[in-house]
Amino acid sequence: MRPEVLNPLFASADSLKGVGPKLEKPLEKLGLTRVKDFAYHLPDRFIDRRAVANLDDAGIGENVIVPLTPTQYRASRSGRGPFNVMATDDIGNVVSLTYFGRASYTAKKQLPLNERRWVAGKLDQYGDALQIVHPDHVSEEGGAAFGATCEPVYALSDGLTQGRLQALIEQALGDLPELPEWIEPGQLAKREWPEWREALIAAHKGANKAARDRLAYDELFASALALMLVRADNRRRKGVPLKGDGRLRDKLRLPFDLTGAQKRSVGEVEGDMAQQHPMLRLLQGDVGSGKTAVALHAMLIAVEGGAQAALLAPTEILARQHHETLIEMARGTGVEIAILTGRDKGRARESILMGLLDGSIDIIVGTHAIFQEAVNYRNLGLVVIDEQHRFGVGQRLMLQQKAKGTAHCLAMTATPIPRTLTLAQYGEMEVSRLDEMPPGRKPIDTRVIATERMDDVVAGLQRHVAEGKQAYWVCPMVREHETEDIAAAEERFDALRQVLGENAVTLVHGQLRPEIKDANMARFASGEVAVLVATTVIEVGVNVPNASLMVIEQAERFGLAQLHQLRGRVGRGAEKSVCLLLRGNTLSETGRERLALMRETQDGFRLAEEDLRLRGGGEILGTRQSGEQAFVVATPEQITELLEVAHDDARVLMERDGGLTGTRGEAARTALYLFERDYGVQLLRGG
Ligand code: ADP
Ligand code: MG
């Protein structure tokens, strides 16, 4: 149970005064649903204002607080232009206070003629005249009564104003509890970090590195500790050592030799599975690096050792493709491989359930359905999770629990993660890397093209399809604008059908019903349809060797690692593949720099490092996909600077007090709950 001291922080947003139904949506958009979310909604920046006696003392472009006396109102003739309040300072300088929209009423009320007021805002020059556009504040009194000269600026959403959000955050901060200290006293002293409550308040008041760093450290520490608890729990569990004798693997007749990297990974897996405690290993490798063959070897080791193995895929269609591939590869081994998804019903399902229970099925491939309550195994020894990045740590633990927590676990992902972040994301696992591509793969010719050249791109696609080849067309999908994004994909789908013909194009996006999505995907995979228009869902990928062209619209909206993963879908066939990155019109300098990198390198890890540098960790950690929070507070710089320290501190704490029962241990539990890493605590209880 969550420590009581945290309850006020987890109270819902509407417990704050002034939050009604109207604000619910805008707040939710920013992720502000509980009091703690407000407290942790840290300012993007601060406006530093200087109090000046008159405008002679102020520079153009400077944020100032200055006493002014309004002398005249000037409305535009049409009533639609700006509303100006002409004012003079104490030595006769004239300045116009300019309001756009329907602000004249408020302006007149705040700025009555011939009465001196303190005005805060940015001094600009408009032609020869001095101007302050939309003063930030107007007050009857100056000095201390005017309030802070340093003002936080927060990220907003439609329907929220700075003032409104500031007031709500202030309320949340006014009611913070005192929390026990989880940071080691020596660390706290050495870094001169404030206590938690003080740090949070200070972080909203002004640029304060110590305060911000402490808050980031807290998050990193909680994350590291949670993963260590998972790992420790895993070590304590008694698994079943599975030693393969090679008799099934010897019968494999694969059409290729394993790459060095594949052999090494299989060796690492084999070593782990022979241990007493369950394997917890991540297999990381680019799209096309051959993870499936490694998974098959692992599963055969389990079967050789007398156990069953399960392969979990994130989608139905991927499960079906895995099933077919595995049957093909394992032909001649005599191993029984079955599939179970949510769509299997009735007799067929019953017979699968029977086979799992009596052990006649050796390997089961499927979706979540394979871990439903009704599904019982005779002796499940290994769980392989494909596309691990689709699942969070918490989810994975639940799955393992269903396998009675003793099965060996191999998680696979194609997301390249920089080394610094691997620790944060997968700190509880050992890692194997497939850093070598199977031979014969040709580099993908990647080009950046302006969106204005859409007609040329479509003409190129037309020629490509006329030659009997297939293509992906990817439209971006960013959660905040989901409906717009889907509308854009549908529009593109219609437009391409007009050009290429009704039956040449199909569409896949997240809001289609799963059956339809799968059916459309299957028509593309079978070659029946030439072009697949898709939002990023295809990132979880089915292999379509004949597809040798990929067009990615508004490529600047994707992370580099994500683009790299997407483009890995092409480049499998015998012929050279092309990836066209269409850049939108709203491209910043960094956006340009980023896309150019895609052309330069096909090294996923290098791209991921650049992503981290240019866009920040959240993108890479794939929080959007799995729905699980990675880091809310820590910035990429802070992750780089503090993750290792936090990790070391967590380890020392674990060594001294692995049950988290001492004073600091108890405090650390509070941190785990605060950052919602409490799955770690739950393991403690169970253990
Ligand atoms: P991943 O799951 O890592 O994206 P796959 O397991 O789907 O990649 O493999 C991609 C393709 O490469 C498949 O067609 C597979 O048969 C082939 N492949 C795998 N390993 C090798 C190898 N060592 N040599 C040649 N081809 C391979
Ligand atoms: Mg795969």
Side-chain angles (χ1 to χ4, degrees):
M1 271 249 290
R2 181 196 300 144
E4 248 169 60
V5 64
L6 291 177
N7 286 348
L9 290 168
F10 281 85
S12 69
D14 56 19
S15 69
L16 294 171
K17 265 183 246 109
V19 177
K22 241 174 136 185
L23 278 187
E24 210 170 286
K25 267 248 166 75
L27 290 175
E28 210 181 287
K29 251 190 174 165
L30 292 170
L32 306 178
T33 59
R34 297 156 306 178
V35 171
K36 108 187 176 78
D37 303 324
F38 288 83
Y40 272 103
H41 192 65
L42 301 180
D44 279 346
R45 61 192 172 87
F46 293 90
I47 298 178
D48 261 314
R49 293 200 189 89
R50 201 161 60 88
V52 293
N54 57 62
L55 293 172
D56 280 1
D57 284 351
I60 297 297
E62 195 181 0
N63 285 297
V64 292
I65 301 172
V66 60
L68 298 173
T69 307
T71 53
Q72 189 190 9
Y73 299 136
R74 277 192 202 160
S76 68
R77 214 160 288 157
S78 66
R80 272 139 128 237
F83 178 78
N84 285 301
V85 178
M86 307 309 292
T88 55
D89 67 5
D90 291 354
I91 55 171
N93 288 306
V94 177
V95 58
S96 78
L97 311 173
T98 304
Y99 293 84
F100 293 96
R102 271 177 271 156
S104 62
Y105 175 77
T106 327
K108 282 182 189 166
K109 215 171 104 188
Q110 284 185 337
L111 294 158
L113 295 181
N114 304 315
E115 287 185 33
R116 199 159 170 263
R117 289 287 184 274
W118 268 261
V119 175
K122 189 167 153 221
L123 184 66
D124 282 325
Q125 196 160 15
Y126 184 73
D128 289 338
L130 294 174
Q131 184 184 42
I132 294 175
V133 177
H134 274 284
D136 298 329
H137 302 282
V138 177
S139 165
E140 285 182 42
E141 285 167 84
F146 195 89
T149 51
C150 178
E151 186 175 307
V153 180
Y154 296 105
L156 291 178
S157 60
D158 282 350
L160 258 185
T161 60
Q162 255 338 309
R164 202 55 181 288
L165 189 53
Q166 275 172 15
L168 293 174
I169 289 173
E170 220 159 275
Q171 240 188 91
L173 292 174
D175 232 2
L176 293 180
E178 294 274 358
L179 298 185
E181 184 56 80
W182 48 77
I183 302 183
E184 203 265 316
Q187 182 75 268
L188 205 64
K190 190 180 100 197
R191 303 207 173 237
E192 299 181 351
W193 281 343
E195 288 172 5
W196 176 78
R197 188 160 170 268
E198 203 186 312
L200 205 42
I201 292 170
H204 286 272
K205 279 216 176 118
N208 184 329
K209 183 168 156 53
R212 281 263 190 163
D213 278 356
R214 188 228 141 104
L215 298 175
Y217 172 95
D218 289 347
E219 187 181 37
L220 298 169
F221 175 74
S223 158
L225 187 62
L227 295 183
M228 272 171 218
L229 287 169
V230 171
R231 188 190 269 250
D233 170 74
N234 192 68
R235 286 260 158 83
R236 271 198 307 273
R237 281 176 197 276
K238 256 205 147 101
V240 182
L242 291 174
K243 282 205 184 80
D245 57 8
R247 80 194 131 84
L248 296 172
R249 282 171 286 165
D250 285 348
K251 288 191 198 145
L252 272 184
R253 294 287 169 267
L254 295 181
F256 48 75
D257 294 327
L258 293 187
T259 62
Q262 283 170 318
K263 281 188 199 149
R264 197 184 59 229
S265 300
V266 170
E268 286 162 354
V269 166
E270 190 165 14
D272 283 3
M273 288 175 68
Q275 302 289 321
Q276 179 67 247
H277 61 84
M279 166 168 75
L280 210 47
R281 183 170 284 276
L282 179 74
L283 178 64
Q284 218 175 16
D286 267 4
V287 174
S289 60
K291 294 185 287 297
T292 318
V294 176
L296 174 64
H297 278 78
M299 293 193 287
L300 290 179
I301 292 170
V303 179
E304 286 169 7
Q308 292 167 301
L311 171 60
L312 175 72
T315 64
E316 164 108 18
I317 178 155
L318 193 57
R320 298 211 176 275
Q321 187 171 63
H322 274 321
H323 182 233
E324 280 165 30
T325 309
L326 292 175
I327 285 184
E328 181 63 35
M329 288 206 275
R331 197 177 294 284
T333 59
V335 168
E336 188 61 33
I337 305 176
I339 181 163
L340 180 67
T341 71
R343 219 167 307 152
D344 298 304
K345 302 254 153 69
R347 274 270 190 68
R349 179 180 147 88
E350 287 306 314
S351 112
I352 300 282
L353 294 189
M354 210 53 193
L356 289 173
L357 192 59
D358 68 18
S360 57
I361 295 174
D362 301 303
I363 293 177
I364 183 81
V365 181
T367 54
H368 279 95
I370 60 178
F371 291 107
Q372 276 162 6
E373 229 168 293
V375 184
N376 293 298
Y377 295 82
R378 177 155 175 274
N379 180 15
L380 182 60
L382 169 69
V383 178
V384 181
I385 304 177
D386 195 17
E387 313 280 359
Q388 156 73 41
H389 60 279
R390 292 264 149 179
F391 309 93
V393 181
Q395 264 176 307
R396 207 207 55 231
L397 286 175
M398 267 163 50
L399 290 177
Q400 274 184 297
Q401 228 94 80
K402 291 207 170 139
K404 303 203 178 67
T406 56
H408 295 282
C409 176
L410 177 65
M412 310 199 289
T413 182
T415 310
I417 299 176
R419 277 176 201 283
T420 35
L421 293 190
T422 310
L423 196 62
Q425 178 82 331
Y426 297 116
E428 86 284 22
M429 295 200 227
E430 309 293 335
V431 179
S432 294
R433 275 196 176 161
L434 291 181
D435 48 10
E436 179 187 354
M437 279 299 205
R441 232 183 118 88
K442 309 208 169 36
I444 300 152
D445 181 4
T446 304
R447 297 174 212 162
V448 182
I449 295 180
T451 297
E452 289 84 56
R453 290 184 50 204
M454 182 62 82
D455 289 351
D456 297 341
V457 173
V458 173
L461 176 69
Q462 226 169 343
R463 286 193 299 275
H464 181 84
V465 170
E467 287 171 29
K469 294 183 283 194
Q470 289 178 278
Y472 294 97
W473 190 293
V474 183
C475 299
M477 176 68 118
V478 180
R479 192 178 285 159
E480 297 93 81
H481 312 290
E482 193 167 282
T483 40
E484 277 168 48
D485 286 341
I486 285 171
E490 279 173 347
E491 219 168 275
R492 182 64 59 206
F493 168 63
D494 285 336
L496 292 179
R497 277 209 305 182
Q498 303 233 326
V499 180
L500 300 168
E502 291 264 309
N503 297 321
V505 192
T506 190
L507 175 67
V508 170
H509 63 64
Q511 274 180 14
L512 291 175
R513 275 191 295 142
E515 308 87 86
I516 297 185
K517 202 159 61 180
D518 275 2
N520 289 354
M521 191 73 213
R523 283 171 66 217
F524 180 67
S526 71
E528 185 192 324
V529 176
V531 178
L532 175 72
V533 176
T535 52
T536 45
V537 286
I538 58 159
E539 183 189 328
V540 166
V542 172
N543 293 332
V544 184
N546 192 37
S548 52
L549 171 65
M550 178 175 285
V551 180
I552 304 180
E553 274 192 65
Q554 296 186 51
E556 72 279 2
R557 285 174 66 184
F558 293 90
L560 293 182
Q562 209 183 4
L563 285 175
H564 179 68
Q565 230 177 311
L566 282 168
R567 98 176 141 183
R569 291 274 133 231
V570 296
R572 296 173 171 249
E575 98 175 80
K576 191 179 87 168
S577 291
V578 176
C579 176
L580 302 180
L581 303 176
L582 301 191
R583 62 175 156 76
N585 306 320
T586 55
L587 201 56
S588 65
E589 279 302 315
T590 39
R592 217 155 278 184
E593 186 188 335
R594 286 175 55 236
L595 289 187
L597 270 168
M598 290 297 298
R599 248 181 7 217
E600 266 168 43
T601 179
Q602 315 244 338
D603 177 345
F605 288 102
R606 161 127 194 260
L607 290 169
E609 297 280 359
E610 288 299 325
D611 244 359
L612 176 63
R613 194 171 68 78
L614 295 167
R615 298 225 307 189
E619 301 282 343
I620 300 161
L621 291 176
T623 56
R624 302 198 154 159
Q625 294 165 11
S626 67
E628 187 160 307
Q629 293 279 26
F631 297 116
V632 182
V633 187
T635 63
E637 295 77 33
Q638 288 174 320
I639 293 173
T640 312
E641 200 183 314
L642 296 171
L643 182 64
E644 245 176 271
V645 184
H647 196 267
D648 287 347
D649 289 353
R651 204 185 46 226
V652 171
L653 176 62
M654 283 292 288
E655 277 162 14
R656 285 190 196 151
D657 180 13
L660 302 186
T661 50
T663 313
R664 250 196 88 214
E666 285 284 351
R669 277 178 195 240
T670 309
L672 291 173
Y673 277 100
L674 177 62
F675 290 101
E676 294 164 85
R677 260 57 172 199
D678 41 300
Y679 48 78
V681 187
Q682 253 110 65
L683 290 175
L684 268 181
R685 189 141 303 153

